[in-house]
Amino acid sequence: MTTYPGAGPVVHDPMTLPSDDSVNNYTFCVELKGSQWFLQKGKMIAYYGSIDFNGIGHGRLDRLVRTSFHSPLHASDWVVAEGSGKMLLADRAFDVNSYDLEEGNLTIRSGNLLAFQPSLALKQSIVPGFLTLIGTGKFVAASNGPVVFMEPPIRVDPQALVGWADCPSPCHHYDHGYMTGLMGGLRAMTGIGGASGEEHQFEFVGAGTVLLQSSETLMAEQATGVVPHEPGVPGGGGAPTGHPQQPGAPRLPGQLGDLQRRFGL
Amino acid sequence: MLAIDMTGDAVKAKNGSMVAYDGQMDFKKLSGGGEGIRGMVTRRITGEQMTLMEVKGHGTCWFADRASEINLVGLQGDKLYVESSNLLATDSGLRTGTSFTGMRGASQGNGLFTTTVEGHGQAAIMSDGPAVVLRVSPQFPLTVDPGAYIAHQGNVRQSFQSGVTFRTLMGEGGGEAFQIRFEGDGLVYVQPSERNTIAGDV
């Protein structure tokens, strides 16, 4: 066959492809030996061997879904790959990385999760738009630019946050010193007089790891399904939550409600 | 970005893809991709239009297109099949043409025809993210998502697989309803991203 003069690309075949590891920064290779993997619909780009892709409504897979999936509401976005061979996964040329969880938990933005082993359980997070993986196993996540791991205590930009592991304390943080008073309120509302755009952050404390992407471009949100309409469930009461925006989310400039509250109206 | 050093020789490149050059260069539009009247008519009919230019001169010329990744493919008398939209540049010694792809083309959303490049030399193809080159051999056939396929070369048979079942119609498909299977001996280039195809949603 063809040989490559100069610095040609590396040619992969089933022997040289890694097993459950990255091929390059943008492609991940999964080896299946009669085992199963969950992946988001349409993220397989190529495979060797014989692999079946079944939607999670498949009768035979019901048991698997029961053990690994605890939010049946968004199960239709996921596919079970089973068979034997090597399969390549990629997502819109975003960076992909694999992570190992050992008896741990990790919460991740729903659009970033690409694939995971069925030994992990996927649950909807209380934080809307996020999913939580619990257990032991490997999962693959996509991000806009390489992922950086940080130790709490840390405050992060909402757009750069990919997920967090083992630290159950994400909360909002506002730079109030800067934003108080009439002038501060006006500044926050209009942006005139120097709003830095960084007055609002997410704060993490405690032991754990925070995952950040090195870009502030969010990946498209993946629907996580609606939560039960019950009092006390964030995002559950009131308006239907197609949009994961929360009460207490960053106040948009131009909203008058904020200023009214400031004046005690 | 692709840099080509030239000493009086010529390359064919996608029209308007030059971003910089030093030395002395001449740019000439090649009507119909330099394939003559017949090639021009074929391209017009098959919808595989590509406007190429011939770059000739001494020095270095840099080519790029929409910040996509560029992959170099070496050809030794074999044939490269690539979508015209993914072809950036070829050595001027390489012949380009069109060929029928059938259902595969339709499932990729790229039309029923594809561009072929053959001869001895190098071609530069573009992809969204660096392409992964996968070898197809008789004992290891390869299956590819139509949206991620960009090119292939060598003596490869391709067949179109459809996994459309009643489940797909119920909206419970596996998300991979259409696939192309490659058998034989050759190389297949896939990109880590999927074009929007009808197959992507079912």
Side-chain angles (χ1 to χ4, degrees):
Chain A
M1 221 11 259
T2 319
T3 51
Y4 283 90
V10 187
V11 180
H12 292 284
D13 62 33
M15 299 299 141
T16 62
L17 277 175
S19 169
D20 295 346
D21 204 354
S22 301
V23 179
N24 58 30
N25 285 345
Y26 309 93
T27 314
F28 185 83
C29 180
V30 170
E31 184 171 19
L32 290 173
K33 291 175 184 157
S35 50
Q36 292 157 323
W37 266 75
F38 284 115
L39 52 142
Q40 245 187 52
K41 244 181 201 184
K43 304 303 183 203
M44 181 280 291
I45 57 167
Y47 65 86
Y48 287 107
S50 64
I51 297 177
D52 279 334
F53 298 90
N54 283 307
I56 289 178
H58 209 283
R60 205 161 50 79
L61 299 169
D62 253 6
R63 217 184 71 79
L64 184 70
V65 174
R66 266 210 300 280
T67 51
S68 302
F69 257 90
H70 296 263
S71 348
L73 299 158
H74 64 258
S76 64
D77 296 323
W78 291 85
V79 173
V80 182
E82 61 181 331
S84 56
K86 285 190 172 176
M87 165 175 75
L88 295 180
L89 305 176
D91 186 15
R92 292 159 287 170
F94 285 124
D95 283 66
V96 293
N97 274 298
S98 70
Y99 307 90
D100 287 304
L101 269 185
E102 226 168 278
E103 288 301 320
N105 71 78
L106 179 129
T107 305
I108 186 168
R109 206 177 276 280
S110 61
N112 292 67
L113 184 63
L114 212 60
F116 63 96
Q117 276 179 334
S119 55
L120 289 166
L122 181 74
K123 305 193 185 199
Q124 220 172 329
S125 171
I126 295 179
V127 183
F130 282 80
L131 299 169
T132 301
L133 287 165
I134 300 176
T136 303
K138 205 182 259 283
F139 68 96
V140 184
S143 60
N144 215 326
V147 164
V148 188
F149 295 86
M150 306 295 270
E151 295 271 313
I154 185 176
R155 290 180 187 150
V156 305
D157 190 283
Q159 282 92 49
L161 179 68
V162 171
W164 62 90
D166 301 332
C167 49
S169 68
C171 51
H172 295 280
H173 174 88
Y174 299 94
D175 275 347
H176 266 298
Y178 181 64
M179 280 297 161
T180 44
L182 176 60
M183 285 315 288
L186 279 175
R187 258 204 297 259
M189 203 178 84
T190 60
I192 298 170
S196 69
E198 307 284 6
E199 290 86 7
H200 169 241
Q201 300 108 23
F202 290 156
E203 179 160 353
F204 290 88
V205 293
T209 314
V210 180
L211 280 69
L212 302 178
Q213 62 181 11
S214 39
S215 136
E216 296 198 0
T217 316
L218 282 178
M219 305 197 28
E221 194 86 28
Q222 190 82 23
T224 53
V226 285
V227 290
H229 283 257
E230 269 175 52
V233 177
T241 51
H243 198 63
Q245 205 75 315
Q246 268 295 289
R251 282 158 267 183
L252 299 170
Q255 275 178 348
L256 207 62
D258 231 20
L259 207 63
Q260 281 170 339
R261 202 165 47 234
R262 224 176 274 276
F263 291 135
L265 296 173
Chain B
M1 189 110 101
L2 173 72
I4 302 182
D5 288 317
M6 279 180 283
T7 49
D9 47 344
V11 293
K12 285 189 274 190
K14 184 176 175 161
N15 226 7
S17 62
M18 185 275 291
V19 288
Y21 70 92
D22 59 20
Q24 184 65 45
M25 295 282 168
D26 285 324
F27 299 89
K28 192 176 85 182
K29 188 182 175 200
L30 288 176
S31 300
E35 293 163 23
I37 299 287
R38 190 162 161 266
M40 219 164 121
V41 173
T42 322
R43 282 199 180 273
R44 205 32 74 78
I45 295 171
T46 55
E48 278 283 309
Q49 279 109 327
M50 52 177 190
T51 36
L52 289 184
M53 58 182 181
E54 189 185 52
V55 186
K56 198 173 186 173
H58 294 266
T60 309
C61 192
W62 287 272
F63 298 95
D65 189 38
R66 281 170 296 162
S68 49
E69 292 283 332
I70 295 166
N71 311 275
L72 277 178
V73 180
L75 289 173
Q76 264 98 41
D78 50 342
K79 212 176 203 178
L80 174 76
Y81 295 80
V82 60
E83 281 306 316
S84 62
S85 53
N86 286 94
L87 186 64
L88 178 66
T90 68
D91 281 346
S92 61
L94 293 170
R95 291 182 305 283
T96 51
T98 40
S99 80
F100 182 67
T101 58
M103 270 310 273
R104 194 208 82 211
S107 67
Q108 279 167 257
N110 267 335
L112 293 169
F113 296 86
T114 194
T115 296
T116 56
V117 181
E118 59 184 320
H120 292 263
Q122 285 196 316
I125 56 176
M126 295 182 290
S127 57
D128 184 12
V132 178
V133 191
L134 297 166
R135 183 180 300 283
V136 177
S137 49
Q139 67 270 38
F140 295 118
L142 174 73
T143 316
V144 172
D145 189 291
Y149 164 88
I150 48 172
H152 74 269
Q153 71 182 107
N155 181 24
V156 176
R157 283 184 316 282
Q158 44 179 307
S159 54
F160 182 73
Q161 279 186 344
S162 158
V164 181
T165 60
F166 82 99
R167 284 187 188 284
T168 315
L169 303 176
M170 305 271 289
E172 289 192 349
E176 311 290 355
F178 299 98
Q179 294 166 354
I180 326 168
R181 190 172 173 83
F182 290 93
E183 286 168 75
D185 212 344
L187 300 177
V188 176
Y189 297 77
V190 291
Q191 63 183 12
S193 164
E194 301 195 357
R195 282 183 292 269
N196 285 327
T197 60
I198 49 160
D201 296 328
V202 288

